[in-house]
Amino acid sequence: CKCNFISFIFLSLGTGSNILSALQDLFWLLKSKAEKQLQIISVLQWVLTFLIMGIACTLILMYILCTDCWVIAALYLAWLVFDWNTPKKGGRRSQWVRNWAIWRYFRDYFPIRLVKTHNLLTTRNYIFGYHPHGIMGLGAFCNFSTEATGVSQKFPGIRPYLATLAGNFRMPILRDYLMSGGICPVNRDSIDYILSKNGSGNAIIIVVGGAAESLNCTPGKNSVTLKNRKGFVKLALRHGADLVPVYSFGENEVYKQVIFEEDSWGRWVQKKFQKHIGFAPCIFHGRGLFSSNTWGLLPYSKPITTVVGEPITIPKIDNPSQKDVDFYHSIYVDSLIKLFDKYKSKFGLLETEVLEVN
């Protein structure tokens, strides 16, 4: 009887251990699934913000004006008129918004990483040239408009300003949301203010290729639109702001796009939109909300690694000549190519891969 009792205890302990182990496995499985769902929700809200928030907020505001709550809309519109020039003066960033937990889930969905290669002096101002544009500039947003990848810790004392289309700041609510992340209009007034009247330690991130580059982005292709993009170099010379090449490996991998030939009707429509509105409508798709095997608006969860290169010291020239601009532009292009070549094999590309500069 004593032997049977001891055997029963050992069997019970073994069974308990198995149950505990199973419960732990179940807990971690549920936690993992919950985190994955939160990651999907965080990315989906940003994609919808990018695509429809401006128009949706404008329509809602117009609707409220026609209801009994019109006073609320009227007060906001009055505030909008009063606050109209704030985006041109550095905006109104919020560290609270930049540190939202949702951005960490956004980061982990892909995941997105920020790689620092050199220190940046807080006594200087900078213009970061971000490449490539991709469809939505996901790496640029996550790295420089949030604290998800630790930009403030990696570059202490540097205030990043991601520059985007000025038209976004004419949209109610959207403009305030963008400013809270440290996003500013990509126009001369805004850049001049930040680089000349906002002290030192500022870094403006310009997606140099813009809409034209987005039309050619596709998985497996590493190309940048840069040969005739020299305005950012002229701005750097006028303000004595150092140029910093930035390349984001994987930015082109997260969406698939229909690429139209140069002489096709589709490309003609895209270029007309680009010329008159400032952006080019791309026909693209990612994965579905519930399955990666279906089409949808969610980007594919491919890693994006953004490498910030070595700053190029730029002299201050009030009226730079075309020769000056061309000289420093060529140095910038060479630096970007060297950055790409140095890190391409570390982030999934073959040594034979070449960066195409158009």
Side-chain angles (χ1 to χ4, degrees):
C1 290
K2 186 182 287 187
C3 291
N4 290 337
F5 179 73
I6 293 171
S7 298
F8 175 77
I9 291 174
F10 277 106
L11 285 170
S12 298
L13 287 171
T15 302
S17 299
N18 291 336
I19 292 172
L20 181 60
S21 177
L23 288 174
Q24 287 177 336
D25 290 343
L26 180 62
F27 171 77
W28 287 112
L29 180 63
L30 292 174
K31 183 180 179 182
S32 176
K33 285 187 174 181
E35 287 185 348
K36 189 61 181 177
Q37 294 304 314
L38 287 170
Q39 291 170 12
I40 289 173
I41 291 169
S42 68
V43 175
L44 180 62
Q45 68 82 27
W46 189 86
V47 170
L48 293 178
T49 296
F50 181 90
L51 294 175
I52 66 171
M53 183 177 180
I55 295 172
C57 288
T58 302
L59 293 175
I60 290 171
L61 196 67
M62 292 172 63
Y63 171 76
I64 293 174
L65 279 171
C66 301
T67 68
D68 293 338
C69 298
W70 65 269
V71 175
I72 297 173
L75 287 172
Y76 178 80
L77 288 174
W79 160 253
L80 191 63
V81 172
F82 174 78
D83 195 55
W84 191 253
N85 289 323
T86 298
K88 299 177 183 178
K89 297 180 179 180
R92 188 170 45 247
R93 73 175 55 219
S94 166
Q95 286 303 115
W96 176 65
V97 174
R98 287 175 61 88
N99 281 285
W100 277 353
I102 195 171
W103 306 132
R104 295 193 290 276
Y105 289 111
F106 183 96
R107 171 199 66 197
D108 294 339
Y109 173 85
F110 296 92
I112 296 174
R113 287 178 56 206
L114 179 65
V115 176
K116 170 186 174 181
T117 63
H118 291 79
N119 292 325
L120 298 180
L121 299 174
T122 58
T123 55
R124 300 284 295 174
N125 283 324
Y126 301 90
I127 293 180
F128 287 19
Y130 184 92
H131 313 269
H133 183 286
I135 294 291
M136 296 185 184
L138 293 159
F141 171 79
C142 185
N143 285 307
F144 302 113
S145 294
T146 79
E147 294 297 331
T149 56
V151 63
S152 293
Q153 287 73 43
K154 291 178 180 178
F155 299 103
I158 301 298
R159 292 181 297 275
Y161 293 87
L162 177 61
T164 188
L165 290 175
N168 289 323
F169 296 90
R170 302 187 188 103
M171 301 283 190
I173 311 300
L174 175 63
R175 66 189 292 276
D176 302 287
Y177 189 40
L178 295 177
M179 284 194 291
S180 67
I183 301 177
C184 68
V186 62
N187 58 32
R188 182 169 173 174
D189 290 342
S190 177
I191 295 172
D192 283 347
Y193 183 91
I194 292 170
L195 295 180
S196 63
K197 299 178 182 178
N198 201 41
S200 59
N202 302 294
I204 298 179
I205 297 89
I206 299 177
V207 186
V208 178
E213 191 172 84
S214 68
L215 296 177
N216 295 314
C217 69
T218 187
K221 186 174 183 179
N222 289 285
S223 66
V224 296
T225 302
L226 183 56
K227 280 184 179 178
N228 297 316
R229 299 295 174 107
K230 300 180 181 181
F232 73 106
V233 178
K234 190 172 184 178
L235 282 169
L237 285 165
R238 288 180 62 246
H239 293 284
D242 293 346
L243 288 171
V244 182
V246 179
Y247 196 85
S248 212
F249 294 90
E251 186 72 64
N252 285 346
E253 307 300 316
V254 295
Y255 279 111
K256 295 178 181 178
Q257 179 183 190
V258 177
I259 305 293
F260 293 103
E261 297 294 332
E262 281 299 323
D263 56 349
S264 66
W265 67 269
R267 182 54 63 98
W268 179 84
V269 170
Q270 288 175 325
K271 286 187 174 181
K272 286 295 181 182
F273 265 84
Q274 179 189 335
K275 181 179 179 181
H276 297 292
I277 301 178
F279 73 93
C282 301
I283 300 178
F284 65 92
H285 74 84
R287 52 156 290 182
L289 183 60
F290 302 107
S291 171
S292 59
N293 296 321
T294 57
W295 287 14
L297 288 176
L298 278 176
Y300 294 103
S301 53
K302 303 287 185 179
I304 298 174
T305 305
T306 303
V307 184
V308 180
E310 182 177 4
I312 304 164
T313 303
I314 302 294
K316 188 177 187 302
I317 305 174
D318 291 333
N319 294 298
S321 66
Q322 189 60 48
K323 185 178 179 181
D324 295 325
V325 173
D326 291 342
F327 175 73
Y328 285 100
H329 181 267
S330 66
I331 292 176
Y332 178 86
V333 172
D334 290 342
S335 296
L336 179 64
I337 293 172
K338 287 177 182 177
L339 180 71
F340 177 85
D341 289 339
K342 182 176 180 179
Y343 289 95
K344 60 186 177 184
S345 61
K346 295 181 181 179
F347 302 119
L349 300 181
L350 299 174
E351 278 290 347
T352 54
E353 189 70 38
V354 176
L355 179 62
E356 182 183 330
V357 180
N358 300 312

